[in-house]
């Protein structure tokens, strides 16, 4: 299991466009990808799950990858978030 935290810098937060791009990115890996905000969790491959977390600008999320290629997925998803949010 790999885990990292990320603070959303986009003032609009994790809205539809970046959430859709993140889902597409997460689907590239065979491992499970979960996003946590507080005590809520969502499958990163499900757009409505991510949107349901209501992630706003300035909030911190935790991304967890488990399974095959988890290290690669964690590194690349973290780089994606840094570049896009």
């Amino acid at each position: 299991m790999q885990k990292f935290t990320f603070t959303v810098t986009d003032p609009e937060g994790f809205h539809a466009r970046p959430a859709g791009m993140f889902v597409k990115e997460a689907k590239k890996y065979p491992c499970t990808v979960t996003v946590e905000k507080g005590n809520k969790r969502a499958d990163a491959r499900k757009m409505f799950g991510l949107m349901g977390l209501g992630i706003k600008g300035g909030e911190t999320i935790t991304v967890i990858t488990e399974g095959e290629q988890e290290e690669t997925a964690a590194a690349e998803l973290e780089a994606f978030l840094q570049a896009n949010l």
Side-chain angles (χ1 to χ4, degrees), residues 30-74:
C31 61
T32 60
V33 181
T34 306
V35 177
E36 289 182 345
K37 179 189 143 197
N39 61 353
K40 294 182 183 177
R41 298 182 110 188
D43 181 345
R45 295 171 184 200
K46 308 237 182 211
M47 177 78 160
F48 289 112
L50 282 179
M51 296 301 293
L53 293 176
I55 303 165
K56 297 180 178 26
E59 293 183 325
T60 300
I61 59 172
T62 302
V63 179
I64 303 161
T65 59
E66 280 187 89
E68 189 179 338
Q69 295 182 6
E70 64 186 32
E71 293 92 4
T72 302

Side-chain angles (χ1 to χ4, degrees), residues 10-31:
D10 185 331
E12 294 183 30
F14 216 87
H15 55 91
R17 179 174 289 158
M21 291 176 6
F22 189 75
V23 166
K24 190 174 182 180
E25 200 66 25
K27 286 182 176 182
K28 293 180 179 179
Y29 306 99
C31 61

